[in-house]
Amino acid sequence: KAGVTQTPRYLIKTRGQQVTLSCSPISGHRSVSWYQQTPGQGLQFLFEYFSETQRNKGNFPGRFSGRQFSNSRSEMNVSTLELGDSALYLCASSPLQGASEQYFGPGTRLTVT
Amino acid sequence: GENVEQHPSTLSVQEGDSAVIKCTYSDSASNYFPWYKQELGKGPQLIIDIRSNVGEKKDQRIAVTLNKTAKHFSLHITETQPEDSAVYFCAATRDDKIIFGKGTRLHILP
């Protein structure tokens, strides 16, 4: 089975812009979770989608949003980018809703200048 | 709030020796404890996990132990090899909530 794929792999944006990241889960997986990884804060949970519905949300501002399509693919959007949004954004898929057995993609490296 | 403490932050071991990484969690309702390995330029890879009804689990050179009373769990890697060099993350989860440790950078010395 193909693993989790994320596009693009690298992205450079300017403060104030918005960005959309894409994630394709492992075939058959219906849960997609998003994480932000930074050297200072480590891995932090953003939100989880299951069957096109957001099931769980972390402590991030409303500028961070997402959605999931009927084929389980997911997108994450960040509006009004700030310098502090520079990070590796990871997507993980799971066959089940919730936090168990997650399989991560390679991530999208976002740099905000 | 809930947190997961992971130690050490950096660990260097001679090739062939064992490595141990320890994590402590605060949420007593946590019931699933995965370990991830992250190599440079890649996403975290699930290497082993343990559930709260089990005390120990082994998979070849990797083992994980869980002490629910003390709320800590450990990753043991025996006969370390150069390809074990990576950053390792522990996590504690319950239902839909997962909290990661800050990671341990493991260096395998030749």
Side-chain angles (χ1 to χ4, degrees):
Chain A
K1 269 187 182 176
V4 177
T5 58
Q6 292 186 245
T7 57
R9 291 294 310 277
Y10 303 92
L11 207 48
I12 299 175
K13 289 287 188 178
T14 305
R15 270 181 303 176
Q17 288 186 314
Q18 74 164 15
V19 67
T20 299
L21 313 181
S22 181
C23 171
S24 292
I26 292 171
S27 177
H29 286 194
R30 294 165 61 194
S31 168
V32 173
S33 296
W34 288 89
Y35 296 85
Q36 182 194 67
Q37 186 176 32
T38 59
Q41 298 299 317
L43 270 160
Q44 292 186 289
F45 172 73
L46 279 155
F47 30 66
E48 180 200 5
Y49 285 86
F50 184 85
S51 294
E52 301 177 64
T53 302
Q54 188 180 92
R55 303 290 177 159
N56 195 15
K57 192 176 189 305
N59 296 323
F60 278 81
R63 300 186 296 107
F64 292 82
S65 63
R67 58 178 176 168
Q68 186 180 35
F69 302 94
S70 58
N71 61 358
S72 294
R73 190 177 69 85
S74 177
E75 287 182 348
M76 189 191 93
N77 185 77
V78 188
S79 62
T80 320
L81 284 165
E82 300 176 0
L83 295 179
D85 297 332
S86 294
L88 180 67
Y89 289 88
L90 293 158
C91 158
S93 79
S94 173
L96 306 170
Q97 181 188 340
S100 64
E101 279 189 78
Q102 296 193 58
Y103 298 88
F104 285 84
T108 294
R109 172 74 61 186
L110 172 65
T111 302
V112 182
T113 62
Chain B
E2 296 90 354
N3 73 314
V4 174
E5 299 276 346
Q6 183 172 345
H7 299 281
S9 57
T10 306
L11 178 62
S12 296
V13 301
Q14 213 69 39
E15 183 179 347
D17 288 350
S18 296
V20 180
I21 302 170
K22 300 182 179 181
C23 288
T24 303
Y25 60 98
S26 59
D27 186 354
S28 56
S30 297
N31 55 15
Y32 174 68
F33 306 90
W35 284 88
Y36 291 89
K37 174 184 180 182
Q38 188 172 24
E39 296 174 291
L40 199 61
K42 298 184 179 180
Q45 175 192 2
L46 179 66
I47 56 171
I48 195 167
D49 55 15
I50 192 167
R51 298 191 182 274
S52 58
N53 58 347
V54 176
E56 184 173 356
K57 183 176 178 181
K58 190 173 181 181
D59 182 4
Q60 298 182 356
R61 297 186 297 108
I62 295 173
V64 57
T65 59
L66 171 65
N67 182 328
K68 281 180 60 181
T69 304
K71 290 191 282 188
H72 68 69
F73 56 113
S74 301
L75 176 72
H76 304 252
I77 306 174
T78 59
E79 300 171 19
T80 53
Q81 300 170 3
E83 54 265 35
D84 294 330
S85 291
V87 179
Y88 291 81
F89 293 94
C90 64
T93 74
R94 64 167 173 89
D95 301 327
D96 55 3
K97 188 169 186 175
I98 183 167
I99 299 176
F100 287 89
K102 294 290 190 189
T104 296
R105 185 172 297 279
L106 176 62
H107 298 277
I108 306 301
L109 306 172

